[in-house]
Coordinates of all heavy atoms in Angstrom, one line a residue:
M151 N 63.7 93.3 86.2 CA 63.8 94.5 85.5 C 62.4 95.2 85.5 O 61.4 94.6 85.4 CB 64.2 94.4 84.0 CG 64.2 95.6 83.2 SD 64.5 95.4 81.5 CE 66.1 94.5 81.5
K152 N 62.4 96.5 85.8 CA 61.2 97.3 85.8 C 60.9 97.7 84.4 O 61.3 98.7 83.9 CB 61.3 98.4 86.8 CG 61.5 97.9 88.2 CD 61.5 99.0 89.2 CE 61.8 98.5 90.6 NZ 61.8 99.5 91.5
A153 N 60.1 96.9 83.7 CA 59.8 97.1 82.3 C 59.2 98.5 82.0 O 59.5 99.2 81.1 CB 58.9 96.0 81.7
K154 N 58.4 98.9 82.9 CA 57.7 100.2 82.7 C 58.7 101.4 82.7 O 58.5 102.3 81.9 CB 56.6 100.4 83.8 CG 55.8 101.7 83.6 CD 54.7 101.8 84.6 CE 53.8 103.0 84.3 NZ 52.7 103.1 85.2
E155 N 59.7 101.3 83.5 CA 60.7 102.4 83.6 C 61.5 102.4 82.3 O 61.8 103.4 81.7 CB 61.7 102.2 84.7 CG 61.0 102.5 86.1 CD 61.9 102.2 87.2 OE1 63.1 102.0 87.1 OE2 61.4 102.2 88.4
V156 N 61.9 101.2 81.8 CA 62.6 101.1 80.6 C 61.8 101.6 79.4 O 62.3 102.3 78.5 CB 63.1 99.7 80.3 CG1 63.8 99.5 79.0 CG2 64.1 99.2 81.4
I157 N 60.5 101.2 79.4 CA 59.6 101.6 78.3 C 59.5 103.2 78.3 O 59.5 103.8 77.3 CB 58.2 100.9 78.4 CG1 58.4 99.5 78.0 CG2 57.2 101.6 77.5 CD1 57.2 98.6 78.4
N158 N 59.4 103.8 79.5 CA 59.3 105.2 79.6 C 60.6 105.8 79.1 O 60.5 106.9 78.4 CB 59.0 105.6 81.1 CG 57.6 105.4 81.5 OD1 56.7 105.2 80.7 ND2 57.5 105.3 82.8
Y159 N 61.7 105.2 79.4 CA 63.0 105.8 79.0 C 63.1 105.7 77.4 O 63.5 106.7 76.8 CB 64.2 105.0 79.6 CG 65.5 105.4 79.1 CD1 66.0 106.7 79.5 CD2 66.3 104.6 78.3 CE1 67.3 107.1 79.1 CE2 67.5 105.0 77.9 CZ 68.0 106.3 78.3 OH 69.3 106.7 77.8
I160 N 62.6 104.6 76.8 CA 62.6 104.5 75.4 C 61.7 105.5 74.8 O 62.0 106.2 73.8 CB 62.2 103.0 75.0 CG1 63.3 102.0 75.4 CG2 61.9 103.0 73.4 CD1 62.9 100.6 75.2
G161 N 60.6 105.8 75.4 CA 59.7 106.8 74.9 C 60.3 108.2 74.9 O 60.1 109.0 74.0
E162 N 61.2 108.5 76.0 CA 61.9 109.7 76.0 C 62.9 109.9 74.9 O 63.1 110.8 74.3 CB 62.6 110.0 77.3 CG 61.6 110.3 78.5 CD 60.8 111.5 78.2 OE1 61.4 112.6 77.8 OE2 59.5 111.5 78.4
L163 N 63.5 108.7 74.6 CA 64.6 108.7 73.5 C 63.9 109.0 72.1 O 64.6 109.5 71.3 CB 65.4 107.4 73.5 CG 66.3 107.2 74.7 CD1 67.0 105.8 74.5 CD2 67.4 108.2 74.7
R164 N 62.7 108.5 72.0 CA 62.0 108.7 70.7 C 61.8 110.1 70.4 O 61.7 110.5 69.2 CB 60.6 108.0 70.8 CG 60.7 106.5 70.8 CD 59.3 105.9 71.0 NE 58.5 106.1 69.8 CZ 58.4 105.2 68.8 NH1 59.1 104.1 68.9 NH2 57.7 105.4 67.8
K165 N 61.9 111.0 71.4 CA 61.6 112.5 71.2 C 62.9 113.2 71.0 O 62.9 114.4 70.7 CB 60.9 113.0 72.4 CG 59.5 112.4 72.7 CD 59.0 112.9 74.0 CE 57.8 112.1 74.4 NZ 57.3 112.5 75.8
K166 N 64.0 112.6 71.3 CA 65.4 113.2 71.3 C 66.2 112.8 70.1 O 66.2 111.7 69.6 CB 66.1 112.9 72.5 CG 65.4 113.4 73.9 CD 66.3 113.0 75.0 CE 65.5 113.3 76.3 NZ 66.3 112.9 77.4
V167 N 67.1 113.7 69.7 CA 68.1 113.3 68.7 C 69.2 112.6 69.4 O 69.8 113.0 70.4 CB 68.7 114.7 68.0 CG1 69.9 114.2 67.1 CG2 67.7 115.3 67.2
I168 N 69.4 111.3 69.0 CA 70.4 110.6 69.7 C 71.7 110.4 68.8 O 72.8 110.0 69.4 CB 69.9 109.2 70.1 CG1 69.5 108.3 68.8 CG2 68.8 109.3 71.0 CD1 69.4 106.9 69.1
E169 N 71.6 110.6 67.5 CA 72.8 110.4 66.7 C 72.7 111.4 65.5 O 71.6 111.7 64.9 CB 72.8 109.0 66.1 CG 74.0 108.7 65.2 CD 75.3 108.6 65.8 OE1 75.4 108.4 67.1 OE2 76.3 108.8 65.2
K170 N 73.9 112.0 65.2 CA 73.9 112.9 64.1 C 75.0 112.2 63.1 O 76.1 112.1 63.4 CB 74.5 114.3 64.4 CG 74.5 115.3 63.3 CD 75.0 116.6 63.7 CE 74.0 117.4 64.5 NZ 74.4 118.8 64.7
Y171 N 74.4 111.8 62.0 CA 75.2 111.1 61.0 C 75.6 112.0 59.9 O 74.7 112.6 59.2 CB 74.5 109.9 60.5 CG 75.3 109.2 59.4 CD1 76.4 108.5 59.7 CD2 74.9 109.3 58.0 CE1 77.2 107.9 58.6 CE2 75.6 108.7 57.1 CZ 76.7 108.0 57.3 OH 77.5 107.4 56.3
S172 N 76.9 112.3 59.7 CA 77.3 113.1 58.5 C 78.0 112.2 57.6 O 79.0 111.6 57.9 CB 78.3 114.1 59.0 OG 77.6 115.0 59.9
D173 N 77.5 112.1 56.3 CA 78.1 111.4 55.3 C 79.0 112.2 54.4 O 78.5 113.1 53.7 CB 77.0 110.7 54.4 CG 77.5 109.6 53.5 OD1 78.2 110.0 52.5 OD2 77.4 108.5 53.8
S174 N 80.3 112.0 54.6 CA 81.3 112.9 53.9 C 81.3 112.6 52.4 O 81.7 113.4 51.6 CB 82.6 112.7 54.5 OG 83.1 111.3 54.4
E175 N 81.0 111.3 52.0 CA 80.9 111.0 50.6 C 79.9 111.8 49.8 O 80.1 112.3 48.7 CB 80.7 109.5 50.4 CG 80.7 109.1 49.0 CD 80.6 107.5 48.9 OE1 80.4 106.8 49.9 OE2 80.5 107.1 47.7
Y176 N 78.7 111.9 50.4 CA 77.6 112.5 49.7 C 77.2 113.9 50.3 O 76.3 114.6 49.8 CB 76.3 111.6 49.7 CG 76.6 110.4 48.9 CD1 76.7 109.2 49.6 CD2 76.8 110.4 47.5 CE1 76.9 108.0 48.9 CE2 77.0 109.2 46.8 CZ 77.1 108.0 47.5 OH 77.3 106.9 46.8
L177 N 77.9 114.3 51.3 CA 77.6 115.6 52.0 C 76.2 115.8 52.5 O 75.6 116.8 52.1 CB 78.0 116.8 51.1 CG 79.5 116.8 50.5 CD1 79.7 118.0 49.6 CD2 80.4 116.9 51.7
I178 N 75.8 114.7 53.1 CA 74.4 114.8 53.7 C 74.5 114.5 55.2 O 75.2 113.6 55.6 CB 73.5 113.7 53.0 CG1 73.3 114.0 51.5 CG2 72.1 113.5 53.6 CD1 72.6 112.9 50.7
E179 N 73.7 115.2 55.9 CA 73.7 115.1 57.4 C 72.3 114.7 57.8 O 71.4 115.4 57.4 CB 74.2 116.3 58.1 CG 74.2 116.3 59.5 CD 74.7 117.6 60.2 OE1 76.0 117.8 60.1 OE2 73.9 118.3 60.6
I180 N 72.2 113.7 58.6 CA 70.9 113.3 59.1 C 70.9 113.2 60.6 O 71.8 112.5 61.2 CB 70.4 111.9 58.5 CG1 70.4 112.0 57.0 CG2 69.0 111.5 59.0 CD1 70.1 110.6 56.3
E181 N 70.0 113.8 61.3 CA 69.8 113.6 62.7 C 68.8 112.6 63.0 O 67.7 112.6 62.4 CB 69.4 114.9 63.4 CG 70.5 116.0 63.4 CD 70.1 117.2 64.1 OE1 68.9 117.6 64.2 OE2 71.0 118.0 64.5
W182 N 69.1 111.6 63.8 CA 68.2 110.4 64.1 C 67.7 110.5 65.6 O 68.4 110.8 66.4 CB 68.9 109.1 63.9 CG 69.4 108.9 62.5 CD1 70.5 109.4 61.9 CD2 68.7 108.2 61.5 NE1 70.6 109.0 60.6 CE2 69.5 108.3 60.3 CE3 67.4 107.6 61.4 CZ2 69.0 107.7 59.1 CZ3 67.0 107.0 60.2 CH2 67.8 107.1 59.1
N183 N 66.4 110.2 65.7 CA 65.9 110.2 67.1 C 65.9 108.7 67.6 O 66.3 107.8 66.9 CB 64.5 110.8 67.2 CG 63.5 110.0 66.4 OD1 63.6 108.8 66.0 ND2 62.4 110.7 66.0
G184 N 65.4 108.5 68.8 CA 65.5 107.2 69.4 C 64.5 106.2 68.9 O 64.5 105.0 69.2
A185 N 63.7 106.6 67.9 CA 62.8 105.7 67.2 C 63.4 105.2 65.9 O 62.8 104.6 65.1 CB 61.5 106.4 66.9
I186 N 64.7 105.6 65.7 CA 65.4 105.4 64.5 C 64.7 106.0 63.3 O 64.5 105.4 62.3 CB 65.8 103.8 64.3 CG1 66.3 103.3 65.6 CG2 66.8 103.7 63.2 CD1 67.6 103.9 66.1
Q187 N 64.2 107.2 63.5 CA 63.5 108.0 62.5 C 64.4 109.2 62.2 O 64.9 109.8 63.2 CB 62.1 108.4 62.9 CG 61.2 107.1 63.0 CD 59.9 107.6 63.5 OE1 59.7 108.5 64.2 NE2 58.8 106.7 63.3
A188 N 64.4 109.7 61.0 CA 65.1 111.0 60.7 C 64.4 112.1 61.3 O 63.2 112.3 61.2 CB 65.2 111.2 59.2
H189 N 65.2 112.9 62.1 CA 64.7 114.0 62.8 C 64.8 115.3 61.9 O 63.9 116.1 61.8 CB 65.4 114.2 64.1 CG 65.0 115.5 64.8 ND1 63.8 115.6 65.5 CD2 65.6 116.7 65.0 CE1 63.8 116.8 66.1 NE2 64.8 117.4 65.8
S190 N 65.9 115.3 61.2 CA 66.2 116.3 60.2 C 67.2 115.8 59.2 O 68.0 114.9 59.5 CB 66.7 117.6 60.9 OG 68.0 117.5 61.4
I191 N 67.3 116.5 58.0 CA 68.2 116.1 57.0 C 68.7 117.4 56.3 O 67.9 118.3 56.1 CB 67.6 115.1 56.0 CG1 68.6 114.6 55.0 CG2 66.4 115.7 55.3 CD1 68.2 113.5 54.2
K192 N 70.0 117.5 56.1 CA 70.6 118.7 55.5 C 71.4 118.2 54.3 O 72.2 117.2 54.4 CB 71.4 119.4 56.5 CG 70.7 120.0 57.6 CD 71.6 120.6 58.6 CE 70.8 121.1 59.8 NZ 71.7 121.6 60.9
F193 N 71.4 118.9 53.2 CA 72.1 118.5 52.1 C 73.2 119.6 51.9 O 73.0 120.8 51.9 CB 71.2 118.5 50.8 CG 70.2 117.5 50.9 CD1 68.9 117.8 51.3 CD2 70.4 116.2 50.5 CE1 67.9 116.9 51.4 CE2 69.4 115.2 50.6 CZ 68.2 115.5 51.0
G194 N 74.5 119.1 51.7 CA 75.6 119.9 51.5 C 75.8 120.4 50.0 O 76.6 121.3 49.7
M195 N 75.0 119.9 49.1 CA 75.0 120.3 47.7 C 73.6 119.9 47.1 O 72.8 119.2 47.7 CB 76.1 119.6 46.9 CG 76.1 118.1 47.0 SD 77.6 117.3 46.3 CE 77.4 117.7 44.5
D196 N 73.4 120.5 45.9 CA 72.1 120.2 45.3 C 72.2 118.8 44.5 O 73.2 118.6 43.9 CB 71.8 121.3 44.2 CG 71.5 122.6 44.9 OD1 71.0 122.6 46.1 OD2 71.8 123.7 44.3
Y197 N 71.1 118.1 44.6 CA 71.0 116.8 44.0 C 69.7 116.9 43.1 O 68.7 117.4 43.5 CB 70.9 115.7 44.9 CG 72.2 115.4 45.6 CD1 72.4 115.7 47.0 CD2 73.2 114.7 45.0 CE1 73.6 115.4 47.6 CE2 74.4 114.5 45.7 CZ 74.6 114.8 46.9 OH 75.7 114.5 47.6
S198 N 69.8 116.2 42.0 CA 68.5 116.0 41.2 C 67.7 114.9 41.9 O 68.2 114.1 42.7 CB 68.9 115.6 39.8 OG 69.4 114.2 39.7
T199 N 66.5 114.8 41.5 CA 65.6 113.8 42.0 C 66.2 112.4 41.7 O 66.2 111.5 42.6 CB 64.2 113.9 41.5 OG1 63.7 115.2 41.7 CG2 63.3 112.8 42.0
Q200 N 66.7 112.2 40.5 CA 67.2 110.9 40.1 C 68.5 110.6 41.0 O 68.7 109.4 41.4 CB 67.6 110.9 38.6 CG 68.1 109.6 38.1 CD 68.3 109.7 36.6 OE1 68.4 110.7 36.1 NE2 68.4 108.5 36.0
E201 N 69.3 111.6 41.3 CA 70.5 111.3 42.2 C 70.1 111.0 43.5 O 70.6 110.1 44.1 CB 71.4 112.5 42.2 CG 72.1 112.9 40.9 CD 72.8 114.2 40.9 OE1 72.2 115.2 41.4 OE2 73.9 114.3 40.4
L202 N 69.1 111.7 44.0 CA 68.6 111.4 45.4 C 68.0 110.0 45.5 O 68.2 109.3 46.5 CB 67.6 112.4 45.9 CG 68.1 113.7 46.3 CD1 67.0 114.7 46.5 CD2 69.0 113.6 47.4
E203 N 67.3 109.5 44.5 CA 66.8 108.2 44.5 C 67.9 107.1 44.6 O 67.7 106.0 45.1 CB 66.0 107.9 43.2 CG 64.7 108.6 43.2 CD 63.9 108.5 41.9 OE1 64.4 107.9 40.9 OE2 62.7 108.9 41.8
M204 N 69.0 107.4 44.1 CA 70.2 106.5 44.2 C 71.0 106.7 45.5 O 71.4 105.7 46.1 CB 71.2 106.7 43.0 CG 70.5 106.3 41.6 SD 71.6 106.5 40.2 CE 73.0 107.4 40.6
I205 N 71.1 107.9 45.9 CA 72.0 108.2 47.1 C 71.2 107.9 48.4 O 71.9 107.4 49.3 CB 72.4 109.7 47.0 CG1 73.4 109.9 45.8 CG2 73.1 110.1 48.3 CD1 73.6 111.3 45.5
L206 N 70.0 108.4 48.6 CA 69.4 108.3 49.9 C 69.3 106.9 50.5 O 69.5 106.8 51.7 CB 68.0 109.0 49.8 CG 68.0 110.5 49.9 CD1 66.6 111.0 49.8 CD2 68.7 111.0 51.1
P207 N 69.0 105.9 49.7 CA 69.0 104.6 50.4 C 70.3 104.2 51.0 O 70.4 103.6 52.1 CB 68.6 103.6 49.2 CG 67.8 104.5 48.3 CD 68.5 105.8 48.3
I208 N 71.4 104.6 50.4 CA 72.8 104.3 50.9 C 73.0 105.1 52.1 O 73.4 104.5 53.2 CB 73.8 104.6 49.8 CG1 73.7 103.8 48.5 CG2 75.2 104.5 50.4 CD1 74.4 104.3 47.3
V209 N 72.8 106.3 52.1 CA 73.0 107.2 53.3 C 72.0 106.8 54.4 O 72.4 106.8 55.5 CB 72.8 108.7 52.9 CG1 73.0 109.6 54.1 CG2 73.9 109.1 51.8
W210 N 70.8 106.5 54.1 CA 69.8 106.2 55.1 C 70.3 104.9 55.8 O 70.2 104.8 57.0 CB 68.4 105.9 54.3 CG 67.3 106.3 55.1 CD1 66.5 105.5 55.9 CD2 66.8 107.6 55.4 NE1 65.5 106.2 56.5 CE2 65.7 107.5 56.2 CE3 67.2 108.9 54.9 CZ2 65.0 108.7 56.5 CZ3 66.4 110.0 55.2 CH2 65.3 109.9 56.1
E211 N 70.7 103.9 55.1 CA 71.1 102.7 55.7 C 72.3 102.9 56.6 O 72.4 102.4 57.8 CB 71.5 101.6 54.6 CG 71.9 100.3 55.2 CD 72.2 99.2 54.2 OE1 71.8 99.4 53.0 OE2 72.7 98.2 54.5
R212 N 73.3 103.7 56.2 CA 74.5 104.0 57.0 C 74.0 104.7 58.3 O 74.5 104.4 59.4 CB 75.5 104.9 56.2 CG 76.1 104.2 55.0 CD 77.0 105.1 54.2 NE 77.6 104.5 53.1 CZ 78.2 105.2 52.1 NH1 78.4 106.6 52.2 NH2 78.7 104.6 51.1
G213 N 73.3 105.7 58.1 CA 72.8 106.5 59.3 C 72.0 105.7 60.3 O 72.2 105.8 61.5
A214 N 71.0 104.9 59.7 CA 70.2 104.1 60.6 C 70.9 103.1 61.3 O 70.7 102.8 62.5 CB 69.1 103.5 59.8
E215 N 72.0 102.6 60.8 CA 72.8 101.6 61.4 C 73.6 102.2 62.5 O 73.6 101.6 63.7 CB 73.8 100.9 60.4 CG 74.7 99.8 61.1 CD 75.6 99.2 60.1 OE1 75.3 99.2 58.9 OE2 76.7 98.7 60.5
K216 N 74.1 103.4 62.4 CA 74.8 104.1 63.5 C 73.8 104.5 64.6 O 74.1 104.4 65.7 CB 75.5 105.3 62.9 CG 76.8 104.9 62.1 CD 77.6 106.2 61.9 CE 78.2 106.7 63.1 NZ 79.5 106.5 63.5
A217 N 72.6 104.9 64.2 CA 71.6 105.3 65.2 C 71.2 104.1 66.0 O 70.9 104.2 67.2 CB 70.5 106.0 64.5
G218 N 71.0 103.0 65.3 CA 70.7 101.7 66.0 C 71.7 101.3 67.0 O 71.4 100.9 68.1
Q219 N 73.0 101.5 66.6 CA 74.1 101.1 67.6 C 74.1 102.1 68.7 O 74.2 101.7 69.9 CB 75.4 101.2 66.8 CG 75.6 100.1 65.8 CD 76.8 100.4 64.9 OE1 77.5 101.4 64.9 NE2 77.1 99.4 64.0
K220 N 73.8 103.4 68.5 CA 73.8 104.4 69.6 C 72.6 104.1 70.5 O 72.8 104.1 71.7 CB 73.7 105.7 69.0 CG 73.6 106.8 70.0 CD 75.0 107.1 70.7 CE 74.9 108.2 71.6 NZ 75.4 109.5 71.0
L221 N 71.5 103.7 70.0 CA 70.3 103.4 70.8 C 70.6 102.2 71.7 O 70.3 102.2 72.9 CB 69.1 103.0 69.9 CG 67.8 102.7 70.7 CD1 67.4 103.8 71.6 CD2 66.7 102.3 69.7
Q222 N 71.3 101.2 71.1 CA 71.6 100.0 72.0 C 72.6 100.4 73.1 O 72.4 100.0 74.2 CB 72.3 98.9 71.1 CG 72.6 97.7 71.8 CD 73.2 96.6 70.9 OE1 73.2 96.7 69.7 NE2 73.7 95.5 71.5
I223 N 73.5 101.3 72.8 CA 74.5 101.7 73.8 C 73.8 102.5 74.9 O 74.0 102.3 76.1 CB 75.6 102.6 73.2 CG1 76.5 101.7 72.3 CG2 76.4 103.4 74.3 CD1 77.5 102.5 71.4
L224 N 72.9 103.4 74.5 CA 72.1 104.2 75.5 C 71.2 103.3 76.4 O 71.2 103.5 77.6 CB 71.3 105.2 74.8 CG 72.0 106.4 74.1 CD1 71.0 107.2 73.3 CD2 72.7 107.2 75.1
L225 N 70.6 102.3 75.8 CA 69.8 101.4 76.6 C 70.6 100.6 77.5 O 70.2 100.4 78.7 CB 69.0 100.5 75.6 CG 67.9 101.1 74.9 CD1 67.2 100.1 73.9 CD2 66.8 101.7 75.8
E226 N 71.8 100.1 77.1 CA 72.6 99.3 78.0 C 73.2 100.2 79.1 O 73.2 99.8 80.3 CB 73.9 98.8 77.2 CG 73.5 97.6 76.3 CD 74.6 97.1 75.5 OE1 75.7 97.6 75.6 OE2 74.3 96.2 74.6
Q227 N 73.5 101.5 78.8 CA 74.0 102.4 79.9 C 72.9 102.6 80.9 O 73.1 102.6 82.1 CB 74.4 103.7 79.3 CG 75.7 103.6 78.6 CD 76.1 104.9 77.8 OE1 75.3 105.8 77.6 NE2 77.3 105.0 77.4
Y228 N 71.7 102.8 80.4 CA 70.6 103.1 81.3 C 70.3 101.9 82.2 O 70.1 102.0 83.4 CB 69.2 103.3 80.5 CG 68.0 103.6 81.3 CD1 67.8 104.7 81.9 CD2 67.2 102.5 81.5 CE1 66.6 104.9 82.7 CE2 66.0 102.6 82.3 CZ 65.8 103.8 82.9 OH 64.7 103.9 83.7
Q229 N 70.3 100.7 81.6 CA 70.1 99.5 82.4 C 71.2 99.2 83.4 O 70.9 98.9 84.5 CB 70.0 98.3 81.4 CG 68.7 98.3 80.6 CD 68.6 97.3 79.6 OE1 69.6 96.8 79.1 NE2 67.4 96.8 79.3
K230 N 72.5 99.5 83.1 CA 73.6 99.4 84.1 C 73.4 100.4 85.2 O 73.6 100.1 86.3 CB 74.9 99.6 83.3 CG 75.3 98.4 82.5 CD 76.6 98.6 81.8 CE 77.0 97.4 80.9 NZ 78.2 97.6 80.2
Q231 N 73.1 101.6 84.8 CA 73.0 102.7 85.8 C 71.9 102.4 86.8 O 72.0 102.8 88.0 CB 72.8 104.1 85.1 CG 74.0 104.6 84.4 CD 73.6 105.8 83.6 OE1 72.4 106.2 83.5 NE2 74.6 106.5 83.0
N232 N 70.8 101.7 86.3 CA 69.7 101.5 87.2 C 69.7 100.1 87.8 O 68.7 99.6 88.3 CB 68.4 101.8 86.4 CG 68.2 103.2 86.2 OD1 67.9 103.9 87.1 ND2 68.6 103.7 85.0
G233 N 70.8 99.4 87.6 CA 71.0 98.1 88.2 C 70.3 96.9 87.6 O 70.2 95.9 88.1
Y234 N 69.9 97.1 86.3 CA 69.2 96.0 85.6 C 70.2 95.1 85.0 O 69.9 94.0 84.7 CB 68.3 96.6 84.5 CG 67.3 97.5 85.0 CD1 67.0 98.7 84.4 CD2 66.5 97.3 86.2 CE1 66.0 99.6 84.8 CE2 65.5 98.2 86.6 CZ 65.3 99.3 85.9 OH 64.4 100.2 86.4
L235 N 71.4 95.6 84.7 CA 72.5 94.7 84.1 C 73.7 94.9 85.0 O 74.0 95.9 85.5 CB 72.8 95.3 82.7 CG 71.8 95.1 81.6 CD1 72.4 95.7 80.3 CD2 71.5 93.7 81.3
K236 N 74.4 93.8 85.0 CA 75.7 93.8 85.8 C 76.8 94.1 84.8 O 76.8 93.7 83.7 CB 76.0 92.4 86.5 CG 75.0 92.2 87.5 CD 75.3 90.8 88.2 CE 74.3 90.6 89.3 NZ 74.5 89.3 90.0
G237 N 77.8 94.8 85.3 CA 79.0 95.0 84.4 C 79.4 96.4 84.6 O 80.2 97.1 84.2

């Protein structure tokens, strides 16, 4: 495997939104980049600081899990397309 090429690809993903997670329960939308960091966050309703302290960890975990799964899929696709993985 050409590690440098994979590292460069991961670096590109860090700059892009790879997953948009919309939580229908709390009406919060978070866009995640390839570094599994929030790129943007939108609230569908007003929350108090106390409510956000309770809600955000739940939504954050859900969104980060989906973004991590998407990152894994993107990396596997890249590796297959470039002949690093068979399948």
